[in-house]
Amino acid sequence: MTLIEYSHNAQENSIKYLKKQEYHATYNSKYDFLGQSYGSLYPNLHKYPATMLPQIGLELFKEFKVKKSNLLDPFCGSGSSFISGLEYGITDFVGFDLNPLAIMIAKARLQYIETSQLLKQKDIILEQLLLKNEQFLNNNPLKNITNLDFWLPKEAQQDLKCIFSYIEHLDNMAIQNLFLLAFSETLRETSYTRNNEFKLFRMKNYENYKPNVYEIFNKYIEIITKNYLQFYQPKLKDIIFSLINTRFKKSKRTFDTILTSTPYGDSRTTVAYGQFSTFINEWLGFKDARKLDSELLGGKKVQSLYNKGLIKEYILEIYRLDTKRALEVSSFYFDLELSIKNLIDSINMGGKVFFVVGNRKVKNIELPTDKFISEIFCNSGFRYLQTIKRKISNKSMPPLNSPSNKSGFKSNTMNEEYIIVCERLR
């Protein structure tokens, strides 16, 4: 049997496997990482919603013996997959994300900075802030913040502007990027937004909130600098990376491994990445920062239902209950299918693909996104290898949501994730 014949037969068998409904996810407790947090492997340099545990990717790479060559993440977020790769020994990373904050965090994790340079610049900026030297105040980034006084205390605005001005005048772009993470955390903590919220909600009794901006910034710059030097920098000297602030499209490069954690649904009704990142994205002058969620998967309105494969029956069931929601769900699957198909030619023969995803509920109907992803890959020249099910015990997500959109009716959000593993055959 030739390789082409083998590949074709393997693909056909994969498709039949799914169509016969013999597809099943196998629970594997080792992927739960109970009692572990994100920081159990590498501390986060900046908060970010719904981040994948790097331990998951590291375990997958070991179990499936992936090559230590290169890694692509088409939905890289803050770069969790790259941390898995760093620990495994991969040295070449490429990532895409539409969120400027996500790219900023991922860059900070991968850029090499000499210890002496970093500590020197940290000491200089903290000394200048102690003296409240305002020599660099020559621009007005505050004008970019929508409803500025609604979200930021008046007395904090000038201090924030002063800190940002110092950072903006740094010559070393890698250090500037790292310090911007401390500024971003300060900006968010200084604002009137409620703690532990991804969406923009103003705190109660905000009039009594009087944050010490310099003290908060000092706290974050010390923590971030320490964590970067202790956990990240020792592994960065020989790596190369390319991080692009755009949606992934077909690439001329090819990769041996793809690891990604895709959005579970449109950001408006699942995890609001855009809202979480709004303040720093606006401050940095990115256009339409408040419209970012509408640019992510499922953010655009469509006029027709997704009507292919196994997911169409679930969408029809939602359609019988709510036409609008069925179209919103369809938009997500149209976008997800296109994203996967854009990846196909970027994967080398024998390359491994790992998609980590959750199956959300809409109108109390659980959507089998794991099966959808497997089906698309099987129809595109890939061999389906396995789906691993894990319990979610450590991802920052709302504990309750309203899957039926009925007032007062709440349900637990997803508490399981699925890891789809495929291999390219032709």
Side-chain angles (χ1 to χ4, degrees):
M1 181 182 293
T2 67
L3 177 60
I4 294 176
E5 289 172 330
Y6 169 77
S7 299
H8 179 73
N9 289 342
Q11 180 193 2
E12 286 296 314
N13 289 337
S14 290
I15 296 171
K16 289 176 183 176
Y17 182 76
L18 290 170
K19 286 184 176 177
K20 286 181 181 178
Q21 297 182 336
E22 294 170 1
Y23 169 98
H24 66 279
T26 304
Y27 171 64
N28 190 333
S29 61
K30 77 175 178 179
Y31 284 96
D32 292 344
F33 296 101
L34 289 176
Q36 295 191 37
S37 67
Y38 197 102
S40 299
L41 189 59
Y42 284 77
N44 238 326
L45 294 181
H46 188 290
K47 289 188 288 291
Y48 199 73
T51 47
M52 180 191 77
L53 279 181
Q55 294 93 312
I56 295 172
L58 178 59
E59 191 62 40
L60 289 169
F61 294 161
K62 291 177 179 177
E63 181 173 341
F64 291 90
K65 298 178 173 61
V66 307
K67 294 181 180 179
K68 295 182 179 181
S69 52
N70 52 35
L71 172 65
L72 168 66
D73 188 341
F75 305 97
C76 72
S78 62
S80 297
S81 61
F82 304 141
I83 304 313
S84 306
L86 273 177
E87 191 67 16
Y88 183 68
I90 295 173
T91 57
D92 183 359
F93 303 97
V94 176
F96 293 79
D97 204 281
L98 278 172
N99 190 345
L101 173 60
I103 293 295
M104 193 164 75
I105 300 169
K107 274 186 179 177
R109 290 169 148 175
L110 296 178
Q111 289 178 314
Y112 180 80
I113 306 171
E114 289 285 353
T115 303
S116 59
Q117 283 186 302
L118 179 56
L119 294 178
K120 179 182 177 181
Q121 289 297 328
K122 176 179 71 71
D123 290 343
I124 289 173
I125 197 171
L126 291 179
E127 182 181 342
Q128 292 295 319
L129 292 176
L130 189 64
L131 297 172
K132 295 196 174 182
N133 187 342
E134 299 186 358
Q135 62 174 314
F136 294 132
L137 287 175
N138 57 4
N139 58 19
N140 184 21
L142 293 171
K143 66 183 179 184
N144 297 323
I145 303 292
T146 304
N147 297 327
L148 175 65
D149 294 336
F150 182 87
W151 291 113
L152 285 172
K154 274 276 190 187
E155 54 272 27
Q157 293 174 17
Q158 189 71 4
D159 292 342
L160 287 165
K161 186 177 172 184
C162 185
I163 294 170
F164 179 74
S165 297
Y166 294 140
I167 297 172
E168 191 178 39
H169 281 81
L170 290 172
D171 293 328
N172 187 309
M173 292 298 102
I175 295 177
Q176 182 185 96
N177 189 74
L178 190 69
F179 288 177
L180 278 174
L181 297 188
F183 176 78
S184 175
E185 292 280 33
T186 303
L187 176 60
R188 188 169 179 83
E189 186 170 324
T190 301
S191 74
Y192 291 138
T193 52
R194 296 200 308 232
N195 290 334
N196 303 315
E197 288 276 3
F198 297 146
K199 293 187 177 182
L200 293 178
F201 295 110
R202 191 162 66 164
M203 63 176 64
K204 294 180 180 178
N205 302 318
Y206 64 90
E207 303 95 336
N208 300 322
Y209 184 52
K210 309 292 182 185
N212 185 323
V213 179
Y214 292 119
E215 187 176 285
I216 294 170
F217 179 75
N218 187 87
K219 173 185 70 174
Y220 281 117
I221 200 171
E222 292 288 0
I223 292 171
I224 290 171
T225 300
K226 178 184 176 183
N227 287 338
Y228 170 82
L229 290 174
Q230 182 176 349
F231 295 95
Y232 292 87
Q233 189 226 45
K235 295 184 180 292
L236 299 180
K237 205 157 193 179
D238 298 318
I239 73 159
I240 58 174
F241 67 91
S242 175
L243 299 175
I244 303 135
N245 184 203
T246 186
R247 188 190 296 273
F248 177 83
K249 296 180 181 176
K250 292 184 179 180
S251 171
K252 293 180 180 179
R253 283 200 63 185
T254 56
F255 301 86
D256 291 316
T257 308
I258 291 178
L259 169 63
T260 194
S261 178
T262 64
Y264 298 159
D266 62 280
S267 294
R268 187 180 63 81
T269 57
T270 52
V271 179
Y273 297 99
Q275 282 197 51
F276 174 81
S277 312
T278 289
F279 291 144
I280 186 62
N281 286 343
E282 282 191 325
W283 189 288
L284 294 174
F286 291 103
K287 281 189 72 176
D288 300 325
R290 296 204 174 219
K291 296 180 181 178
L292 179 60
D293 286 321
S294 67
E295 297 297 323
L296 303 178
L297 293 189
K300 298 291 185 183
K301 291 183 179 179
V302 295
Q303 302 300 316
S304 60
L305 298 179
Y306 188 94
N307 63 354
K308 294 181 284 185
L310 59 89
I311 203 72
K312 67 180 180 182
E313 297 301 326
Y314 295 85
I315 292 175
L316 281 173
E317 193 173 348
I318 295 170
Y319 178 75
R320 295 184 189 105
L321 300 171
D322 189 327
T323 302
K324 181 183 176 186
R325 291 297 288 126
L327 289 170
E328 290 170 345
V329 170
S330 292
S331 175
F332 174 75
Y333 286 107
F334 278 123
D335 283 352
L336 183 55
E337 179 189 20
L338 179 60
S339 297
I340 294 172
K341 289 188 172 180
N342 281 338
L343 287 171
I344 301 306
D345 293 333
S346 299
I347 307 167
N348 292 323
M349 293 282 288
K352 300 291 197 308
V353 175
F354 305 94
F355 267 57
V356 183
V357 70
N359 292 343
R360 66 168 177 157
K361 288 182 179 180
V362 175
K363 295 295 175 183
N364 221 28
I365 297 165
E366 185 171 313
L367 294 158
T369 306
D370 61 318
K371 294 182 182 179
F372 174 85
I373 291 170
S374 302
E375 185 179 53
I376 299 297
F377 275 113
C378 286
N379 287 330
S380 304
F382 283 71
R383 180 161 62 116
Y384 167 75
L385 297 179
Q386 189 178 352
T387 297
I388 301 164
K389 183 162 66 173
R390 66 175 295 268
K391 292 178 182 176
I392 301 174
S393 59
N394 35 35
K395 182 169 283 195
S396 298
M397 294 178 66
L400 297 171
N401 69 358
S402 181
S404 63
N405 288 340
K406 290 181 180 178
S407 178
F409 179 78
K410 297 287 184 180
S411 174
N412 291 329
T413 53
M414 62 191 74
N415 54 20
E416 294 174 332
E417 279 184 329
Y418 300 84
I419 306 164
I420 300 97
V421 187
C422 296
E423 179 182 31
R424 181 164 189 183
L425 293 173
R426 62 178 177 84

